[in-house]
Amino acid sequence: MSKDTGVREIETGVRTDFHGAMSYGRYLELEKILGAQHPRSVPEHHDEMLFLIQHQTSELWLKLVLHELRAARGFLDSDDPGPALKCLARVKAVQRTLIEQWSVLGTLTPREYAQFRGALGNSSGFQSYQYRAVEFILGNKNAGMLNVFTSEPEAHAMLEQLLHEPTLYDSFLRAMARAGFAVPQEILNRDVTKAWTFHPELVPIFVEIYSSERTPWGFYEACEDFVDLEDNFQAWRFRHLRIVQRTIGMKTGTGGSSGVSFLQKALDLTFFPELYAVRTAIGAPNPSPYEAAAHD
């Protein structure tokens, strides 16, 4: 930096002419991304831009989360835990960003939101098909949710495909079986279109994974990553609930839900119940898997 002008000189090797060349803006297609914010309030409310960008950036992060979870599932199907764990580590990093991102929306006051809320019509985060896709691949499947997306063929097709595909957890259990763990056949052949429910017969197998020094590398690590994923997901859900409560109180949602009370029910959902139940069973004298159940 020049002491005389306070200007950092552009180095001679830095390219400045991008006619016919790939530039930063063209690579990222910034014209499309930065042109995608269209406030609907009339007159345009200053804070609607915050609301739009908050949700658009969340959708971009969800796209990456889904990309990484699908890749992790594929690596587990190929018995390649190293890259799978790398994908899960990236998902966890994105989750932490999404959780903290609620603090930005928290700067929106109830009065400010009320002034443009009507412009949303019936649009609601409940209709985020990528959020539903992440829930599906993690095990919270609900075929009824497809009805919400009949007017969006691509979103409907994505969810229908994920509905009929194994979850990340299914792929992990199948990898466990191939590695010699006694995963019951009826679990391996379960109807994957159904939401995952607690299987107590898996708890002793996870006790073995957590307790044995002979556990092959990657299985214990994946179990702990799954617990991290669920903890982060629940933290995201809770922050969402609290932001909604501090912004609209107990009003009904724009999409027709009961609002806060509806969001509260999501906190009762779980992806990997056996990985929480195993904590009770570890070190217990002759634990029954049913006694170890954290989710009856």
Side-chain angles (χ1 to χ4, degrees):
M1 179 179 289
S2 170
K3 294 182 179 179
D4 298 326
T5 66
V7 174
R8 182 180 64 172
E9 298 294 335
I10 299 176
E11 295 175 346
T12 56
V14 174
R15 182 166 185 164
T16 58
D17 182 3
F18 288 92
H19 289 85
M22 179 63 74
S23 67
Y24 177 79
R26 292 191 186 101
Y27 176 73
L28 295 178
E29 298 193 59
L30 290 181
E31 185 175 351
K32 292 181 182 178
I33 294 174
L34 300 180
Q37 295 74 45
H38 304 289
R40 305 301 179 105
S41 53
V42 180
E44 182 178 322
H45 193 286
H46 171 81
D47 295 303
E48 191 177 356
M49 185 64 72
L50 159 64
F51 195 81
L52 284 166
I53 291 175
Q54 169 85 23
H55 290 83
Q56 288 177 340
T57 53
S58 294
E59 290 295 334
L60 287 172
W61 284 126
L62 287 172
K63 183 173 184 176
L64 179 58
V65 166
L66 187 58
H67 175 73
E68 297 296 338
L69 289 176
R70 280 174 158 161
R73 183 181 62 183
F75 286 125
L76 290 174
D77 289 339
S78 301
D79 298 315
D80 196 358
L85 295 177
K86 173 61 183 297
C87 292
L88 297 183
R90 183 170 293 164
V91 170
K92 291 191 295 182
V94 174
Q95 285 181 310
R96 291 191 291 269
T97 297
L98 284 167
I99 293 167
E100 181 55 33
Q101 190 167 296
W102 286 119
S103 63
V104 181
L105 193 60
T107 66
L108 183 68
T109 69
R111 177 177 176 272
E112 290 165 346
Y113 182 48
Q115 289 172 341
F116 68 85
R117 188 179 186 229
L120 276 63
N122 295 122
S123 63
S124 165
F126 180 79
Q127 300 147 20
S128 168
Y129 67 87
Q130 290 195 124
Y131 174 82
R132 298 302 165 194
V134 171
E135 282 197 322
F136 275 23
I137 199 171
L138 290 179
N140 282 164
K141 295 189 179 185
N142 181 351
M145 282 301 306
L146 270 66
N147 295 329
V148 178
F149 303 99
T150 53
S151 64
E152 301 176 68
E154 290 185 7
H156 189 279
M158 173 196 283
L159 290 173
E160 187 166 31
Q161 179 180 344
L162 285 169
L163 180 70
H164 290 89
E165 290 177 348
T167 68
L168 177 69
Y169 200 32
D170 286 313
S171 291
F172 179 60
L173 293 171
R174 293 172 184 182
M176 286 171 51
R178 291 191 296 272
F181 293 100
V183 180
Q185 199 64 35
E186 58 269 23
I187 293 177
L188 297 174
N189 296 326
R190 79 180 189 91
D191 182 356
V192 297
T193 67
K194 305 298 183 183
W196 180 267
T197 56
F198 179 65
H199 291 275
E201 59 268 41
L202 289 176
V203 176
I205 302 172
F206 285 118
V207 169
E208 179 185 353
I209 286 176
Y210 272 78
S211 304
S212 175
E213 295 181 358
R214 296 188 300 274
T215 298
W217 181 86
F219 289 97
Y220 167 81
E221 291 79 6
C223 287
E224 287 298 278
D225 276 346
F226 289 158
V227 172
D228 289 339
L229 287 178
E230 177 153 342
D231 282 354
N232 288 342
F233 208 100
Q234 292 289 47
W236 185 93
R237 284 169 167 164
F238 181 74
R239 288 292 300 275
H240 182 202
L241 182 155
R242 297 298 294 181
I243 285 292
V244 169
Q245 188 171 25
R246 72 179 289 167
T247 307
I248 67 169
M250 302 305 291
K251 293 185 182 77
T252 57
T254 51
S257 76
S258 57
V260 169
S261 61
F262 181 73
L263 296 175
Q264 182 74 46
K265 296 173 184 175
L267 296 176
D268 295 329
L269 299 175
T270 181
F271 300 121
F272 317 115
E274 298 81 10
L275 297 181
Y276 289 87
V278 73
R279 271 94 175 133
T280 305
I282 291 173
N286 300 317
S288 161
Y290 290 91
E291 292 175 352
H295 304 273
D296 291 329

